Amino acid sequence: MTVIGQIIGGEYGELYVRQKARKTIEIGELLSVGGDVILQVHDLGYDSLMEDDDLARISGMQLEGYDDTAIMEEEIRNYICARAKLLVHVKDGTAKIPKKLPPFFDQVRRVSEENFEFLDEPENGLYLGKIRSGSRVLDVPVYIDGKKALSHHILIPATTGRGKSNLVKVMLWNLIPKDYCGMLIIDPHDEYYGRNELGAKDHPEAPNKVEYYSPNPPPGGYSLKVNTNLLRPWDLRGIIDLTSAQTDAMYVYYGIYGEEWLGSIMVSDPEEAKIHGVQESTLDVLRRKLSLAIDINEVNGRVYCDSTIFTTEGNENMMNQIVESIEEGKKVILDTSSMPQDKELLIAGMITSRVFNRYKHYKEKGELDGKPTVSVVIEEAPRVLGERAGRNVFHTIAREGRKFRVGLIAITQLSSMIPRELLANMNTKIILGNEMRSEREAIIGSVAQDLSKDSKNIASLDKGEAIVSSIFTKFAVPIKIDLFDDIVERKERKNLKFF
Ligand SMILES: Nc1ncnc2c1ncn2[C@@H]1O[C@H](COP(=O)(O)OP(=O)(O)OP(=O)(O)O)[C@@H](O)[C@H]1O
Ligand SMILES: [Mg+2]
């Protein structure tokens, strides 16, 4: 590769690279020095050897049409200076964190595929995209250890339209044939299965590996309808806003009536409530809240459910079937697009806590090793992880799920709404473009590598361009994610060749 600049100063976190005339260096670009060090540009600026006054004077003369105002040796006097940081040092074929500066005045070149020969595919490699240098994409695939990364949570932060959903589609597609991971995908936009467009259903292994649940399922899908007898008081925790008196009342009825607790509350009268130590007003409000959340009602002492989502009869086995499929490494997609948010989160929480409890049980019995990792995909994660959300199962998983190999893939436009402790627990972050500074700062403050200089870099990321910062990568890897439709079409073309 040709020389495009030269190191002319700086310090460990910020090297100054003079750009060669008529060459361009981009923000985010990777530069190779001495063949073993890679730099990454995080800022660009103009520099000049001339005094400011002289520059202003010559510019004035040029603008006002004076003759003969060319600057002598302009290429030498005026130049662009890139600010770059040391990204990685390659030693004996492996990536190391750089500990020393490259020689002063060394020339820098663009990186090429050969600079990344040290990257290899880890065990259970999950493909994320290709190495990206600025906006140039290199033919170097980037993998992460899927089993580890998924159980240690993945955060996908970006403003709207930068490619979060596309990334999840790509990850899901690559994970469909992999038995090491079961997934629960809560899909409020009904975009992952691909009912009307390309999606998980188009994967050749989808018939055996993907299950789709929807209130109105297409052929091959399952009905997403929850039997209210399966509901337990703790399923409502952190999902529906209840006072402690209302929560206590639920537990009292659960203690007396067991799985009939919900119906019993709905038909209970003030006398009975009083005997159980529950105030009439508490019972009234609780009933109203439950009625709104679960579409359950009582008329003349009879409980009925007028809902497309909940039922008092049948479908008892759905929860078990989902949990078992996930344990077999299948990918289960829940179409929650027609549900109000509280119902979506209630159902998602019910299923998630059943999976989580099973895994806790396996751990106690020493049976966890034989089980696939579980990954739960949740959109607009602050709804369940934010400061204002209660202590629900997603919260618990974010804090301690990795001990039980249950992890989240949390998608969000607003990382700043997620408490720092939880953000820091998300050990892999796939950062897409974000023009909001406060959001970038929240992300930068919680990543595995030092990205303190990368704010502009993140702001300048285009659709599908990302930075992967993970405790499972040696450095924050800039990538370009493939467009999902291209992957599917490539696969289809490949298949056609064989038939
Ligand atoms: N990797 C990519 N390469 C090229 N284009 C992409 C890529 N990812 C996304 N896009 C384009 O950007 C559009 C928006 O992507 P996507 O729906 O994934 O964004 P999002 O971050 O999920 O947005 P929202 O916040 O609205 O859910 C896509 O329709 C696609 O055209
Ligand atoms: Mg999206």
Side-chain angles (χ1 to χ4, degrees):
M1 278 279 171
T2 49
V3 171
I4 57 166
Q6 193 159 12
I7 298 172
I8 56 166
E11 55 192 70
Y12 179 81
E14 184 162 85
L15 303 183
Y16 302 152
V17 176
R18 179 186 164 126
Q19 177 185 293
K20 185 168 157 55
R22 291 179 298 280
K23 299 285 176 198
T24 40
I25 297 181
E26 280 185 330
I27 194 154
E29 182 153 1
L30 305 177
L31 306 171
S32 158
V33 189
D36 63 343
V37 173
I38 296 172
L39 311 179
Q40 185 178 35
V41 176
H42 55 74
D43 210 350
L44 294 165
Y46 295 110
D47 256 328
S48 177
L49 303 177
M50 296 164 66
E51 297 293 329
D52 286 353
D53 284 358
D54 290 338
L55 286 168
R57 185 173 46 78
I58 295 172
S59 154
M61 289 171 74
Q62 288 189 356
L63 289 170
E64 304 314 327
Y66 285 73
D67 290 340
D68 207 16
T69 55
I71 299 173
M72 272 178 54
E73 299 176 320
E74 186 176 350
E75 282 178 3
I76 295 183
R77 292 176 177 214
N78 296 333
Y79 60 94
I80 285 175
C81 183
R83 313 275 192 274
K85 67 173 184 183
L86 292 158
L87 189 68
V88 59
H89 178 199
V90 185
K91 203 172 162 200
D92 306 328
T94 55
K96 306 269 180 224
I97 295 168
K99 294 233 162 55
K100 55 181 187 179
L101 292 175
F104 189 58
F105 242 51
D106 246 17
Q107 294 187 326
V108 307
R109 295 160 201 272
R110 289 195 205 287
V111 288
S112 65
E113 279 76 7
E114 291 85 69
N115 290 104
F116 295 93
E117 275 165 2
F118 65 92
L119 282 181
D120 45 17
E121 185 176 344
E123 211 187 330
N124 300 314
L126 169 58
Y127 171 74
L128 296 176
K130 294 201 164 131
I131 288 273
R132 176 181 56 80
S133 171
S135 52
R136 192 165 60 100
V137 181
L138 303 187
D139 193 16
V140 180
V142 176
Y143 298 90
I144 193 162
D145 181 328
K147 200 166 176 175
K148 285 189 189 151
L150 289 165
S151 61
H152 281 67
H153 316 297
I154 296 179
L155 181 78
I156 304 179
T159 26
T160 182
R162 295 299 179 103
K164 300 181 294 296
S165 300
N166 179 75
L167 167 60
V168 173
K169 284 184 196 167
V170 171
M171 286 166 65
L172 172 60
W173 183 267
N174 293 322
L175 284 165
I176 287 171
K178 305 280 168 69
D179 291 329
Y180 70 78
C181 170
M183 287 178 98
L184 176 67
I185 298 126
I186 303 148
D187 186 1
H189 307 298
D190 195 17
E191 58 189 334
Y192 296 120
Y193 183 69
R195 188 193 279 255
N196 301 317
E197 63 275 298
L198 289 176
K201 71 165 190 322
D202 299 294
H203 196 285
E205 295 195 37
N208 301 322
K209 300 283 174 68
V210 177
E211 285 183 8
Y212 180 59
Y213 290 78
S214 168
N216 55 335
Y222 298 91
S223 167
L224 179 57
K225 207 158 208 190
V226 176
N227 188 307
T228 53
N229 285 337
L230 302 177
L231 201 71
R232 299 289 173 266
W234 48 90
D235 288 321
L236 301 163
R237 193 176 57 158
I239 305 276
I240 294 172
D241 202 9
L242 295 169
T243 63
S244 56
Q246 291 155 3
T247 308
D248 289 349
M250 288 197 304
Y251 280 93
V252 167
Y253 276 79
Y254 181 69
I256 300 166
Y257 295 101
E259 70 174 44
E260 304 283 317
W261 68 279
L262 188 58
S264 306
I265 289 179
M266 297 312 289
V267 299
S268 188
D269 57 33
E271 301 266 301
E272 189 202 3
K274 207 164 160 191
I275 298 170
H276 302 325
V278 175
Q279 285 196 359
E280 186 179 344
S281 57
T282 306
L283 185 71
D284 279 350
V285 182
L286 177 59
R287 251 198 234 158
R288 206 173 60 239
K289 285 187 178 172
L290 291 173
S291 168
L292 278 174
I294 309 160
D295 302 327
I296 198 164
N297 273 304
E298 176 266 338
V299 174
N300 299 332
R302 219 180 69 80
V303 177
Y304 70 98
C305 197
D306 182 17
S307 171
T308 49
I309 305 161
F310 295 100
T311 176
T312 48
E313 280 156 30
N315 237 23
E316 287 93 346
N317 206 27
M318 187 198 78
M319 290 274 174
N320 263 341
Q321 186 188 325
I322 293 180
V323 174
E324 274 162 24
S325 297
I326 293 171
E327 276 184 33
E328 286 166 17
K330 291 188 184 171
K331 317 299 180 263
V332 175
I333 302 172
L334 304 184
D335 163 26
T336 58
S337 60
S338 60
M339 297 180 194
Q341 175 166 303
D342 55 347
K343 294 187 177 57
E344 174 196 5
L345 296 181
L346 180 57
I347 292 180
M350 280 175 83
I351 300 171
T352 307
S353 53
R354 276 151 187 80
V355 179
F356 186 52
N357 290 339
R358 286 269 275 265
Y359 268 63
K360 271 172 131 169
H361 183 65
Y362 293 141
K363 168 110 182 177
E364 274 160 26
K365 289 205 306 188
E367 292 172 5
L368 197 57
D369 280 352
K371 302 286 169 192
T373 294
V374 174
S375 178
V376 180
V377 178
I378 177 96
E379 289 258 356
E380 294 164 49
R383 295 184 298 168
V384 286
L385 300 180
E387 301 276 7
R388 286 172 54 203
R391 292 284 157 135
N392 52 55
V393 62
F394 302 99
H395 217 275
T396 313
I397 292 179
R399 283 207 329 273
E400 51 179 280
R402 63 170 186 264
K403 285 191 277 189
F404 309 100
R405 292 232 321 281
V406 178
L408 299 177
I409 295 182
I411 302 165
T412 182
Q413 297 185 33
L414 294 169
S415 311
S416 60
M417 305 272 284
I418 300 176
R420 273 185 79 99
E421 177 209 349
L422 299 192
L423 273 187
N425 259 353
M426 313 246 156
N427 284 329
T428 298
K429 298 187 176 77
I430 307 177
I431 307 161
L432 292 131
N434 208 320
E435 60 265 11
M436 283 165 69
R437 196 166 155 179
S438 56
E439 290 306 314
R440 297 199 299 270
E441 275 164 11
I443 301 161
I444 287 170
S446 69
V447 284
Q449 283 92 10
D450 177 14
L451 295 186
S452 55
K453 294 263 166 57
D454 286 84
S455 191
K456 287 184 188 162
N457 209 343
I458 296 170
S460 70
L461 294 175
D462 219 331
K463 286 180 179 179
E465 296 180 348
I467 297 172
V468 183
S469 175
S470 169
I471 61 167
F472 305 111
T473 57
K474 267 281 154 54
F475 61 103
V477 192
I479 62 165
K480 168 72 173 69
I481 297 153
D482 300 38
L483 189 60
F484 176 70
D485 290 10
D486 290 349
I487 292 188
V488 180
E489 274 160 22
R490 268 206 301 276
K491 181 101 192 167
E492 277 172 356
R493 274 206 302 277
K494 227 176 175 177
N495 285 348
L496 280 177
K497 266 194 209 156
F498 294 109
F499 291 107

